[in-house]
Amino acid sequence: MLRLSRSPGLFLCVGLLSVCLAGALFAPFLANDPLMTTPANRLMPPGPDAWFGTDHLGRDIFARSLYGARVSLSVGFAVAMLAVGIGLTLGVLAGYWRWLDRLLMRVMDGVMAIPSILLAIALVALHEPGLGIMVIAIAIPEIPRVARLARAVILSVRELPYVEAATASGIRTPRVLLRYIMPSTYAPLMVQGTYIVASAIIIESSLSFLGAGLPPEVPTWGNMIASSRLYISTAPWTVFVPGSFLAVVIYSINLIGDALRDHLDVRMAGPG
Amino acid sequence: MTLSRRGFLCRSAAAGALLSMPLKAFAQSGEMGMLRVAVYTDMVGYDPIVTTSNIAAYHGALVYDMLFGNDENQMPHPQMVGDYTISEDKLTWTMTLRDGLTFSDGSPVTTADVIPSILRWQARASQNGKLLAAATQELVALDDRTFQFKLKEPFPLLAAMLGSPATPLCFIMRKREAEMDPAQAVDVCIGSGPYVLNTQETRPGIDYVYDRNPNYVPREEPASGLSGAKIANFERVILVNMPDAQTAIAALQAGEIDFYEIPPIDFLPVLESDSNLKVADIMKSGTEGSIILNWLQPPFDNLKVRQAMLYAIDQEAVLKGLFGDPNWFNAHPSWFTYGSPLYNEANSEWFRIAPDPEKAKQLLAEGGYDGTPVVLLQATDRQVNADAVTIIAQQMRAAGFNVQIDAIDWATLLQRRPNKGPVSEGGWNAFVSTFNGFISSNPYTFGHMATIGENGWFGWPSDERNEELKAAWMKAETPEERVAIAAEIQENAWNIVPRVSYGHWVQPVAYRSNLDGFVSIPGVLAFWNVKRV
Amino acid sequence: MLGHFIKGLTTAIPVMAVVAIIVFLLLFLAPGDPAAIMAGENATADTIAQLRVALGVDQPIHLRFWNWLSPILHGDLGNSIYWRQSVVSLIGQRAGPTISLAVTTLFVSVCTAVTLGVIAAARVNSRLDRAIMGFAVIAFSVPTFVVGYLLMFVFAVRLGYLPVQGYKPISAGFWPWLSHLILPSLTLGTVYVALIARITRASMLEVLSEDYIRTARAKGVPRRSILFRHALKNAAVPIATIVGNGIAILISGVVITETVFNVPGIGRLVVDAIARRDYPIIQGVTLLFAGVYVCINLLVDISYRLFDPRIRY
């Protein structure tokens, strides 16, 4: 497997991510009600009563951060699965049927030309805010990269002797695709998928921050930062605790992506 | 060598400045002739009759003039009117416009402009205008400068209403705009006030530029409130939209702006410790936080459910969350403004133990509340509003309401609140607003003390007894009698729960200490007479 | 040159067409009446009816597309619901800050990133290299607005070196203008620098392993000259590509950075429009930004020829 022991940094990342994941899963048992306002305890610095302090309405930042992890991680994984699923399908179609290729790739170019945050904003602005539309809005701009990657892999594989042999021996196209071509896309897509989890978390938090995400009351890291930004000078923890959660989780995921890439020996640039 | 290099630097700097300098450059440099005011919310439109937000009133006070102006003690004095006479039987008021009134397009102000302006204001003004309309037999022009109110019954408050600072103020527009549909905002902004909106240099959403009106002739009496001389000491007044308090405070400290409308209470210690700045309560009337309930739609069409709100809301907790420092706020159980002459606490003992979620739940059950979501509008760009809604929603949930917060911005909220329909058609159940304390200190100054159903202010409560009591208050002759009736109004109020309060606080303004000459008008910031010393 | 330009256009135009179709579909596939969306929540029935006619809501889809597109092709992006003013003029009023911010960032970022990438490649696997690449991963992992608040907290709030927020036009003086741009530019540039630095390093490494570099080195050509004159020139194509593609990151970043630092630019315009559901503005800015992205990539495409005359399409 990944040689964790040889890379203490990676080990730490996997550890931190697991802790976050566990925290998110078991948030109801670990933390108070994240919506509960206790104005008497507003803007408390981190301490024994509130580990990460409280915000200006006296809400527990530890609790809100854990519940925020739920939103961020579930959006991240959902987006990655959706984008990889659709991107792979389109990539295979484009890579295998050349007549579709030009059309699909032009469409992908068009999607890539629209800045991802703006495309997501436009999608969200037109619908009732909710988790479902967020996932779709964040996934769409990620699809072209997956599709291009899958297409490139397929183009390089389809001319290989064993694929040509399979086609020549009369195996039907869907079966050739599934059995002989698609498996070679799994490794690069796994790596790409990991990077997408990270970038989806960034975009989700940015949308929340801009007021185009989930409603401000819902504890997400972006919402927490947006609602506390007035207090950055007087109570910096209200901004930097959720900020650190974001940074640590995304950094860990990116490093895991890099490690996967090296381990699976995929030639790819990395996140971004 | 040194000389030539300096020459080169000067030349290149000048060239650079010329190349990149729009005309506005002079305006940005902050010289003596300009007053830069940071306002917290953006303007929804230029029509202060259609929009009753504070910012629209600031805009209106700069651009338009009024027939009368109430002084600091709310006594009316003629403003655009020169002379007026009241007939023996008190049924005919004859008013003559004073000399030198011109609109900023150069046309003179005549009764042809004044009368439709009054009518349009009456159509929009929730309470005072409508009362006046009901008492008026006829409003006629005698000539270009003279017009007459012929009344059905004596109406001693006529001048005070035309000069009232309660929004919408009775601003006088041109005939062309005044005859537009009162439901639609006017499309051009031409008034006869001390300043003129400079539409060329105004950048909507960023800043609004007002230049001195060269044609304006101020009165000679000393200024007090909306009355007396309105002297445009500054060549130019700019209202800068600064939704972010951090920016506004930094800009005020750096002298980039001169005046900040709503400094958050949390930051007052910082501002007070800066010797270049002054923190002052110039409106002198405090602010009342109010939860507006929609009487037309379930569940707040039900009295028990409204009364449950009185048990649900813990003012102390809301105010503490909003402002922290208890020196600036007061929790109180009255419908009247805290500390105002009519303030009393009749009929409030029963819910003063609030919050009492158990009592609230019991009332909800009695009122047949079935758990349908209650849509509470939240203005996310106004920190006080957003935070108040967050806490209030929590308190309502604890009391058994199923609250759904609809997060929009304040401008959208203003556009949405006139919707009387059910939630499924874009309506609402409740929203949170703030009122200048002056407005709820007296049952006749503002519509939200009216209970005239769909003709009234948003929330549309209706109750005949309240209207009878208000009529009695109006006819009362002595202050003692008025206080006694106010107690009855208060008594009746919590039997019907027209709206729910979340407390009273003082919202000061902050400005550079070299400014002086502010006039005190409840709810309205006016920038005439202000000067740099 | 003209031939290259025309060839570039033949790829740019289809992309813009796809962008237009996507933005159109966003509007017409959304739940509800597109005319009502364009007119805003508080529109009168009259306004909506007029818009229905203008958009031709009841016509077949290709006609609707044309009705929607033709004013845009004529430079008319419609009117803002909220301000009742044309979107084009609103964008014009906000363009100054955004252009200042974007151009400063672009210039500074590209210089910094290429330098960092070349240094990392020149000293591959050294501590410096690892530090630079480590920075790149971190830069990718911290959301733009968190970077912004961190910089603001340290340099403006605590140290007080720079203004906290806001924007000054250059007419207010060079230093006021620049000082208000430094933190936003650093914020905006972080991810972009990381992206370009990494690609620069990778393509430099590839070029440095080529035979002719080894020959040059053997001949005793000075190290600096090898790096910057020979290697960087040959690594320029992938670097130019990523500079162009990275514009998308820069544009998304503008929207966030302007919000963090309260810069009254096009990004703030669109953020304000989201809260107000002012769809014509959202749509107009989306089209504009996509257009900028396509144009810059077209320029990058043409610039390939300048770097490497061997490239033919």
Side-chain angles (χ1 to χ4, degrees), chain B residues 222-258:
Chain B
S224 168
L226 284 165
S227 72
K230 299 177 178 175
I231 296 167
N233 286 323
F234 286 95
E235 196 70 42
R236 172 170 279 193
V237 174
I238 303 183
L239 303 185
V240 188
N241 179 27
M242 284 200 178
D244 191 294
Q246 197 78 247
T247 316
I249 286 166
L252 185 65
Q253 287 181 318
E256 289 162 13
I257 56 167
D258 301 299

Side-chain angles (χ1 to χ4, degrees), chain A residues 42-44 52-61 64-65 208-209 216 219-243, chain B residues 244-246 266-267 380 383 386-387 390, chain C residues 145 149 152-153 157 165 260:
Chain A
R42 71 199 296 266
L43 297 177
M44 270 182 7
F52 293 156
T54 59
D55 69 7
H56 64 291
L57 299 180
R59 291 176 293 193
D60 183 33
I61 292 180
R64 289 180 75 72
S65 299
S208 292
F209 172 75
T220 72
W221 294 331
N223 279 345
M224 289 170 74
I225 294 175
S227 75
S228 296
R229 58 204 201 202
L230 182 57
Y231 299 94
I232 185 171
S233 51
T234 47
W237 60 89
T238 55
V239 170
F240 292 120
V241 168
Chain B
D244 191 294
Q246 197 78 247
D266 277 320
F267 288 88
T380 49
Q383 185 103 19
D387 291 346
T390 307
Chain C
F145 56 99
Y149 282 117
M152 183 199 292
F153 182 70
V157 175
Q165 282 174 327
V260 171

Side-chain angles (χ1 to χ4, degrees), chain A residues 187-253:
Chain A
L189 285 187
M190 213 165 120
V191 178
Q192 184 68 24
T194 314
Y195 294 140
I196 290 179
V197 174
S199 103
I201 293 175
I202 293 185
I203 296 181
E204 182 276 324
S205 66
S206 307
L207 288 181
S208 292
F209 172 75
L210 293 174
L214 296 173
E217 192 192 24
V218 179
T220 72
W221 294 331
N223 279 345
M224 289 170 74
I225 294 175
S227 75
S228 296
R229 58 204 201 202
L230 182 57
Y231 299 94
I232 185 171
S233 51
T234 47
W237 60 89
T238 55
V239 170
F240 292 120
V241 168
S244 311
F245 266 94
L246 270 170
V248 167
V249 165
I250 298 165
Y251 183 73
S252 305
I253 295 174

